[in-house]
Amino acid sequence: MSSLDNILWVFSAENPISIPSYIVGGIMPADYLKIQKVIFLKHHDPLQFLKNHKPKIIIFGKAFHTGVYELAKEAKKNNIKIISIFDDWHFENNNDLSKERSEINLNLSKLSEVIVSKTKASSELISKNTSFVPKIIPDCIRYKTLNPINDFSYPFKICWFGNYTNHKTILKGLKEIKDSELKVDLQIITNKIEKIKSLTKNFDKNISINFFDWSIDMHDKIEKSDIVILPLLNNNNSYVKSSNRVVDSLNMGRFIIINENEQFSEFKNYCYFGNIGDGLKWIKKNKEISKQMVKKGQEYVLQNYNLQKICEKWKKIISEIR
């Protein structure tokens, strides 16, 4: 029996419309470490679940319903140790859903031996708003490694990819590109395309936009672009985001233009931080420097965000609470 037997990695989202980072970020290390993956839904019986699986440690991914807390309570009664992962805990409880999720997170924290967040910024925000200090384990590289770009086309070939919950940032980025008066061919790779498609229709004569549904082989589409844009909104929701899109874009050898921010300052040497349109102008004047930044950035994420490296962090935390 291996040291990682009797551990469950529990997911709680029912029928997600895609496989977002908070699920992939659990599936990949669980598979690598040979940890059993289980979905626990709100109508499931916590006691029966524990009898069936007999875990000694449970790792809870992002919690989507109160049943997760009920399972955690039963687990503690049975001396089962708990690790809880908090994705996107932003404390901006401006609607009933975010209030419920924040309450679930707070209750889970009180029952957990260890809580985990994805970035230093999200860890600091949790510490500021609670009495807990999370361990930091980022998401690993998710996609195929591509050769770094060797030139920049004009009109610029750029790409945005992400979940539909980030569609507001596309509009911000498009406004900044429009103000630059530069010509771009933009690929948008996402889900729930129809609404954002209507909002961006005939946005600007200099901006050509093509939409693609998210797919597991989206690196094939990103390879056709030279630049990934990552506009950010100035709120806590953006502040606690995982660095996965930065890491993935560098791994795929694309130059990144990202709005000025604190949370991803680790990558500042490898990306342009600032207005998206200004970033395009900067690339035009600094092509060789830009290409070198991409190469160094790719080397950095391959060294620090590979699956084995991230799993070593998981093994360390698990060994400390066994």
Side-chain angles (χ1 to χ4, degrees):
M1 183 175 290
S2 78
S3 62
L4 298 181
D5 285 331
N6 300 319
I7 301 176
L8 293 181
W9 203 303
V10 174
F11 302 88
S12 57
E14 185 172 10
N15 297 324
I17 59 173
S18 61
I19 308 178
S21 61
Y22 51 78
I23 294 179
V24 178
I27 290 173
M28 291 182 71
D31 280 352
Y32 184 89
L33 295 170
K34 296 181 171 53
I35 293 173
Q36 185 180 0
K37 304 179 298 296
V38 188
I39 297 173
F40 183 84
L41 300 179
K42 193 171 184 177
H43 63 274
H44 288 164
D45 182 330
L47 274 173
Q48 192 60 49
F49 180 89
L50 295 177
K51 285 178 183 176
N52 290 345
H53 295 286
K54 298 180 175 59
K56 292 183 179 177
I57 296 174
I58 297 177
I59 301 172
F60 285 109
K62 184 175 181 177
F64 281 87
H65 53 77
T66 54
V68 175
Y69 175 55
E70 296 303 318
L71 175 58
K73 284 197 297 184
E74 291 300 328
K76 290 305 287 185
K77 289 177 186 176
N78 288 273
N79 297 315
I80 298 164
K81 294 178 179 177
I82 295 171
I83 300 172
S84 294
I85 306 167
F86 296 124
D87 290 82
D88 307 335
W89 192 2
H90 50 74
F91 298 93
E92 290 182 346
N93 301 327
N94 46 17
N95 59 54
D96 289 342
L97 179 61
S98 59
K99 285 177 185 175
E100 179 185 317
R101 294 265 173 86
S102 193
E103 186 175 344
I104 293 170
N105 288 348
L106 189 60
N107 289 333
L108 273 177
S109 298
K110 294 172 183 176
L111 297 175
S112 301
E113 272 69 31
V114 179
I115 66 174
V116 172
S117 63
K118 300 294 179 69
T119 65
K120 181 181 177 185
S122 60
S123 174
E124 288 173 350
L125 190 67
I126 291 170
S127 297
K128 181 180 176 182
N129 285 275
T130 72
S131 59
F132 309 107
V133 181
K135 302 281 188 180
I136 301 168
I137 304 183
D139 287 326
C140 65
I141 291 168
R142 298 179 292 173
Y143 297 103
K144 180 180 176 182
T145 302
L146 303 177
N147 291 328
I149 51 164
N150 56 27
D151 203 1
F152 293 92
S153 303
Y154 191 80
F156 287 110
K157 295 186 183 302
I158 67 178
C159 178
W160 183 96
F161 65 93
N163 198 19
Y164 76 95
T165 54
N166 297 306
H167 281 176
K168 286 182 181 178
T169 68
I170 298 175
L171 299 176
K172 181 184 180 188
L174 284 173
K175 174 67 167 58
E176 293 177 3
I177 294 170
K178 180 179 179 179
D179 291 344
S180 75
E181 299 183 346
L182 294 169
K183 293 182 178 181
V184 305
D185 294 330
L186 170 63
Q187 295 188 100
I188 294 176
I189 305 170
T190 188
N191 49 4
K192 292 193 176 182
I193 283 174
E194 291 311 313
K195 186 175 181 181
I196 189 64
K197 203 171 186 178
S198 65
L199 290 173
T200 57
K201 188 177 181 181
N202 300 321
F203 191 89
D204 183 71
K205 61 183 175 59
N206 288 325
I207 304 175
S208 169
I209 306 177
N210 287 300
F211 291 86
F212 299 93
D213 285 310
W214 182 90
S215 63
I216 196 69
D217 59 352
M218 75 170 195
H219 50 261
D220 291 337
K221 297 181 181 68
I222 292 176
E223 193 167 18
K224 295 173 183 175
S225 298
D226 303 322
I227 300 162
V228 170
I229 60 167
L230 295 175
L232 299 173
L233 301 179
N234 187 24
N235 57 31
N236 277 7
N237 202 359
S238 283
Y239 187 69
V240 299
K241 290 288 184 187
S242 163
S243 59
N244 53 53
R245 288 190 295 164
V246 178
V247 169
D248 287 332
S249 299
L250 288 171
N251 174 57
M252 290 185 282
R254 307 303 102 176
F255 189 87
I256 299 171
I257 304 175
I258 186 169
N259 286 149
E260 192 68 50
N261 68 84
E262 295 177 18
Q263 60 269 37
F264 304 133
S265 58
E266 172 189 359
F267 305 98
K268 198 158 191 174
N269 290 336
Y270 315 118
C271 312
Y272 181 92
F273 275 47
N275 178 283
I276 305 298
D278 291 346
L280 293 172
K281 291 177 181 177
W282 186 87
I283 291 171
K284 210 169 184 181
K285 295 177 181 177
N286 298 277
K287 289 186 177 181
E288 291 305 316
I289 294 172
S290 300
K291 288 187 281 186
Q292 288 304 311
M293 288 167 68
V294 171
K295 288 179 181 177
K296 290 177 181 177
Q298 187 179 65
E299 290 170 1
Y300 180 79
V301 298
L302 285 171
Q303 180 178 348
N304 294 285
Y305 287 84
N306 65 76
L307 180 57
Q308 182 178 353
K309 190 99 170 184
I310 300 308
C311 287
E312 288 300 322
K313 295 177 186 289
W314 277 111
K315 283 163 65 173
K316 184 174 187 294
I317 283 177
I318 291 166
S319 68
E320 287 172 353
I321 67 168
R322 287 193 80 91

